């Protein structure tokens, strides 16, 4: 073996200083042949994003659907190569999904940091001791994934982190009242052994969640913090242009005194929510002591029921966990006092799927504009067609967009599958839901070149000059 | 209970449209008192980052050290409130660490995407079936964290994802030779049940890793890809200004024919590496069949031994996994062919800790400039001191920096702990390692105001005018 390794090694070493390998190379077969040398384009010039190279929108028609399709978002996301199921409730997030999720994370970061949130990252492996101390080790039952390490110590995979964060804060020797409110949050993978995972990313066993925990000097202060988080959540959904209802909710096994859910109204929703037509009252059905259609708040309004997907949840916890773990701060009088807590969740992967669920058509994904993996797709004419002359104009356009609109760099893909008709590629584009699809066809060859622009969220089609197009895309929001 | 909840609820609702809660509020005690109303500064103006509010550099002196301090980076990172151990080898990454890690992730993303890498995210829960298919279920022994779900199905927590990614690619019905090379990577938490976790983030049981997998049409093409990844790694460490040695390595239980490690020379390193003084030969000692000081490559040079921390590892895998999982592509002749693979790891949390290990002094952390959680710290005079008049100049300076240098927004902290002397705060700043510390003291009050600037990486102190300071900081690299 050794000599072979060295031989290969030296070949590899000789090449280490050769031209950079470009994402696109040409090969003619699978046998071991001399590779065509890489061309020498600088890698500093970000290469054009070619649909044929993206994993895996190019293979739309060949992606089989796995298992039972329990809802629209699951089916559309699998068909579009956004997710792939490995095990029940466990998904690969494919590249376009990761892009979208990274955008959502940036929006969440902005809103959480805007109210003073500080981001940390807690271990997934949580010691059983912590969970036994809070008595949730037994309470959580089979929902908790449990395991032992090589020394036989018990752990669970964190589905939520009240215990972990409270013990962290409790171990800070001198948390001063001056440092409060303290808001700590993380955006990490969580684990929950659902009895029946379903609806794709809406009810998985492994998923991303933003969980924030607040620490305050008093109940009053804790309520203020609670409100500021609710406001941040409201702003977040407004930025995503998603209709979201904040309803009074049950506190479940998290505990505490006050709780709200943020629900996206959707037929697929597993929650039943009631909204008063007259006042601001809204509640999850399970919080009401009896089935009623009369509003318990204004007494005059009627409650209307709809189904909702829970995408956020806030809890005022009081001293439930801080008492257990002895999380204290020192007051202005220098006395140790138990801290008041709240906790606040957002389902990150669930928001993505729920947004797709409520915005999409049966045929294609529609994204909240801010979260679309790519903002635009440029479609050049079919090779060999009578419009073929427009191909160079399409390439020029992509170049111009990159030069003129720096915010759209990396946001525009080029559908280079020119062996296919424009129509077929438009069908794919419709499935994937790029907010803007720009067809460079016959109109681009006219004396006053016109580009066909399809705004997929509204279904509108426009014919714009290059300046008009640049103006339109210049106003696209990105994050 | 119900009426109380409703009472609280309505209070909360009334406040939902009040002024946004600012990160900083004043409270006088821990009893339930009327909170001082939040002021109405717009949250759009990012608040100044105050050291007193950051979690948790303000408590440096009070952070106890947990357990045995096995190396410098572990001790310094715990003292500085960067990490906190929950269980052996499992750490909380506190806010400053998360900031640094996010910067490292951006650099890695740039380099991986620069060579055509596409980012995905694979489940942590890996089914035992996959690992049994590759025979690593037994091979990995106790290093694998294993668990059962509620239905009794066996899973492990992924320490690496060759099986997972190969089966993903194998399930893509029509991967065309035109789509290759395909480079898929993720930056996720990995799990390894180390027998003796130690050295803080250098050898943990739960850690972040970047793992990339390449798919190519031929051995030749796979070597080219292998090289391009090695080059990207070399560029990455060069951008971090870390000396990194690429050495020939053992393929371990990953398997395959060719492997290199990327080692940061450090006394604490667990690997012994040999570097020839005469040619480019370098190797991990364990790859050599016998202890030797003569270079097996040039035959004339002498091998020098040093210790290294492995921060990256590349493997040419060939068809090892693609054969097992039948991962094929269709050739130009439309024939199914087994794909050639490589895999490439970077220890994300390990790079952070290793960089701190090699750059820091015994007293304070020194960061790779690009990765420092904050680039600068402004230190105003002590309250009530004879320089107190400079306090307003310090605040003005922070404002000017934000206005003039947009790239430094969010990168400059203000040490508002003015009850402490400048000297004490400089000691903290030295421990935390902000690349630039700016003292606004006596010099700022002179006719031609001068700011004292300490460049912590070099230890240099400069006295600069405001313009000089802006010029210096304007050249700071950020990511």
């Amino acid at each position: 073996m050794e000599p072979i390794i060295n031989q290969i090694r030296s070949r590899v070493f000789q090449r280490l200083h050769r031209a950079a390998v470009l994402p696109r190379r040409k090969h003619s077969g699978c046998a071991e042949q001399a590779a065509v040398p890489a061309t020498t384009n600088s890698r500093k010039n970000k290469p054009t994003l070619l649909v044929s190279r993206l994993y895996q929108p190019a293979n739309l028609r060949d992606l089989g659907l796995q298992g039972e399709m329990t809802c629209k978002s699951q089916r559309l996301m699998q068909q579009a190569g956004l997710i792939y199921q490995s095990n029940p409730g466990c998904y690969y997030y494919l590249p376009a999904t990761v892009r979208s999720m990274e955008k959502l994370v940036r929006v969440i970061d902005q809103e959480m940091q805007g109210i003073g949130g500080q981001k940390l990252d807690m271990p997934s492996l949580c010691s059983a001791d912590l969970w036994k101390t809070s008595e949730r080790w037994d309470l959580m039952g089979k929902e908790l994934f449990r395991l032992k390490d090589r020394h036989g110590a018990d752990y669970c995979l964190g589905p939520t982190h009240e215990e972990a964060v409270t013990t962290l804060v409790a171990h800070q020797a001198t948390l001063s009242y001056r440092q409060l409110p303290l808001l700590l949050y993380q955006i990490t993978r969580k684990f929950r052994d659902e009895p029946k995972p379903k609806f794709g990313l809406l009810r998985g066993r492994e998923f991303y969640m933003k969980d924030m925990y607040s620490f305050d000097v008093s109940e009053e202060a804790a309520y203020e913090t609670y409100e500021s988080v609710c406001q941040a959540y409201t702003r977040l959904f407004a930025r995503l242009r998603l209709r979201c209802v904040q309803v009074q909710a049950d506190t479940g096994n998290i505990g505490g005194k006050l709780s709200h859910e943020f629900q996206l109204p959707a037929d697929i929703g597993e929650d039943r929510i009631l909204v008063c037509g007259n006042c601001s009252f809204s509640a999850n059905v399970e919080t009401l002591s009896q089935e009623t259609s009369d509003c318990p708040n204004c007494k005059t309004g009627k409650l209307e029921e709809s189904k909702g997907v829970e995408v956020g949840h806030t809890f005022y916890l009081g001293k439930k966990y801080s008492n257990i773990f002895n999380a204290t701060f020192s007051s202005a009088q220098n006395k140790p006092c138990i801290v008041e807590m709240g906790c606040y969740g957002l389902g990150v992967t669930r928001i993505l799927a729920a947004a797709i669920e409520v915005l999409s058509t049966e045929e294609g994904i529609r994204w909240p504009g801010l979260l679309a993996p790519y903002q635009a797709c440029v479609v050049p004419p079919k090779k060999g067609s009578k419009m073929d002359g427009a191909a160079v104009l399409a390439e020029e356009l992509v170049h111009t967009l990159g030069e003129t609109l720096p915010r759209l760099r990396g946001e525009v893909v080029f559908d280079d599958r020119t062996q296919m008709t424009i129509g077929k590629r438009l069908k794919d584009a419709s499935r994937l839901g790029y907010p803007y699809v720009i067809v460079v066809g016959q109109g681009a060859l006219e004396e006053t070149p016109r580009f066909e622009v399809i705004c997929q969220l509204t279904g509108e089609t426009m014919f714009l000059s290059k300046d008009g197009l640049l103006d339109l895309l210049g106003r696209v929001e990105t994050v």
Side-chain angles (χ1 to χ4, degrees), chain A:
Chain A
M1 270 297 280
E2 206 65 14
I4 297 173
I5 286 189
N6 283 338
Q7 205 186 326
I8 296 171
R9 219 192 117 260
S10 80
R11 267 196 286 167
V12 168
F13 264 70
Q14 283 158 24
R15 293 209 195 97
L16 273 176
H17 299 283
R18 277 202 353 208
V21 175
L22 273 182
R24 184 164 215 182
R25 281 193 247 140
K26 286 209 167 90
H27 299 290
S28 53
C30 65
E32 293 179 15
Q33 302 167 352
V36 177
T39 51
T40 52
N41 290 21
S42 160
R43 84 178 55 230
K44 291 291 167 197
N45 293 330
K46 211 166 176 180
T48 304
L49 293 158
L50 304 173
V51 170
S52 70
R53 305 284 301 164
L54 294 178
Y55 195 75
Q56 47 184 340
N59 287 56
L60 287 192
R61 263 160 297 277
D62 302 301
L63 287 168
L65 291 176
Q66 311 159 278
E68 195 195 349
M69 287 306 109
T70 49
C71 70
K72 187 170 68 177
S73 62
Q74 181 186 14
R75 176 175 55 81
L76 290 173
M77 291 180 83
Q78 289 206 16
Q79 281 177 340
L82 290 172
I83 57 174
Y84 183 81
Q85 184 177 300
S86 62
N87 292 294
C90 301
Y91 285 87
Y92 294 83
Y93 307 128
L94 298 179
T97 303
V98 169
R99 281 184 63 88
S100 181
M101 209 160 76
E102 288 184 341
K103 292 177 182 191
L104 178 53
V105 166
R106 283 198 285 275
V107 180
I108 294 174
D109 280 342
Q110 288 167 1
E111 294 301 332
M112 294 305 110
Q113 290 170 21
I115 55 169
Q118 299 187 58
K119 194 174 186 178
L120 82 173
D121 193 325
M122 298 187 262
S124 291
L125 288 168
C126 299
S127 116
D129 291 345
L130 273 186
W131 284 70
K132 284 175 182 166
T133 303
S134 69
E135 295 179 356
R136 290 208 290 182
W137 183 256
D138 291 329
L139 201 65
M140 292 288 289
K142 288 190 167 177
E143 287 214 351
L144 217 49
F145 278 108
R146 296 157 204 259
L147 70 162
K148 285 182 190 295
D149 73 2
R150 64 160 72 215
H151 306 294
D154 282 312
Y155 288 88
C156 68
L157 296 178
T160 175
H161 288 245
E162 285 77 15
E163 287 83 356
V165 79
T166 313
T167 196
L168 171 73
V169 169
H171 278 89
Q172 185 172 342
T174 57
L175 184 64
S176 158
Y177 71 96
R178 286 195 204 86
Q179 289 176 275
L180 305 185
L182 173 64
L183 284 90
L184 298 173
Y185 78 100
Q186 62 176 353
I187 301 176
T188 55
R189 215 180 274 236
K190 307 293 190 294
F191 301 86
R192 193 166 296 176
D193 199 354
E194 289 285 346
K196 284 186 188 161
K198 59 180 168 177
F199 298 146
L201 302 194
L202 289 176
R203 186 165 291 281
R205 298 199 296 172
E206 188 173 343
F207 52 91
Y208 277 89
M209 189 167 89
K210 187 279 312 178
D211 43 330
M212 179 144 85
Y213 306 89
S214 66
F215 302 86
D216 267 290
V217 293
S218 67
E219 204 179 326
E220 275 291 328
Y223 290 152
E224 273 198 51
T225 299
Y226 186 95
E227 285 163 47
S228 82
V229 179
C230 288
Q231 287 171 357
Y233 280 15
T234 302
R235 271 193 303 276
L236 175 90
F237 291 109
R239 284 180 70 185
L240 302 182
R241 298 182 203 282
L242 291 172
R243 191 186 149 225
C244 185
V245 186
Q246 180 180 350
V247 304
Q248 171 187 318
D250 191 24
T251 54
N253 65 21
I254 299 274
K257 297 185 198 166
L258 175 70
S259 175
H260 287 91
E261 287 166 357
F262 289 76
Q263 297 268 4
L264 293 195
D267 292 341
I268 198 72
E270 296 184 87
D271 289 290
R272 291 167 58 205
I273 57 178
L274 296 170
V275 179
C276 177
N278 187 45
C279 72
S280 65
F281 182 87
S282 53
N284 190 312
V285 169
E286 63 191 28
T287 63
L288 300 181
S289 46
Q290 53 182 46
E291 291 270 336
T292 173
S293 64
D294 298 318
C295 175
N297 187 44
C298 68
K299 311 288 183 194
T300 56
K302 288 287 170 196
L303 297 178
E304 278 184 49
E305 185 175 326
S306 71
K307 285 184 172 175
V309 176
E310 181 196 332
V311 285
H313 207 148
T314 55
F315 297 88
Y316 164 64
L317 295 172
K319 294 175 177 165
K320 179 180 156 123
Y321 293 93
S322 46
N323 264 328
I324 295 171
F325 293 99
N326 195 32
T328 62
F329 67 96
S330 66
S331 71
Q333 291 78 37
N334 215 14
K335 282 194 310 188
C337 304
I338 295 288
V339 76
E340 288 276 336
M341 287 178 61
C343 74
Y344 317 89
L346 281 179
V348 178
T349 33
R350 190 184 278 184
I351 289 173
L352 269 194
I356 290 174
E357 189 72 37
V358 300
L359 297 175
S360 300
T361 67
E362 285 298 327
E363 285 73 39
I365 292 175
R366 296 300 174 264
W367 304 85
L370 213 48
L371 305 186
Y374 299 98
Q375 290 296 334
C377 176
V378 173
V379 183
K382 188 182 176 194
K383 207 167 190 168
S385 72
K386 62 186 194 310
M387 300 173 287
D388 207 359
V392 60
L393 298 173
E395 282 176 36
E396 263 177 37
L397 177 67
V398 172
H399 181 75
T400 308
L401 289 176
E403 292 288 303
T404 321
L405 306 171
R407 279 195 302 125
L408 287 191
R409 268 178 211 153
E411 293 289 337
V412 180
V413 304
F414 186 75
D415 197 340
D416 61 325
R417 298 171 303 158
T418 49
Q419 73 281 12
M420 290 165 63
T421 62
I422 286 181
K424 270 198 177 163
R425 281 176 288 158
L426 285 184
K427 208 169 163 189
D428 282 358
S430 172
R431 279 201 190 179
L432 295 165
Y434 309 101
Y436 299 92
V437 180
I438 302 144
V439 181
V440 185
Q442 192 58 47
L445 291 169
E446 288 168 12
E447 201 172 339
T448 318
R450 286 281 177 277
F451 300 95
E452 183 182 345
V453 182
I454 305 157
C455 172
Q456 298 212 94
L457 196 56
T458 62
E460 223 177 330
T461 296
M462 291 165 282
F463 292 87
L464 299 175
S465 65
K466 197 169 194 173
D467 285 347
L469 178 61
L470 289 174
D471 183 53
L472 177 75
L473 295 181
R475 283 182 278 126
V476 169
E477 264 190 297
T478 53
V479 66

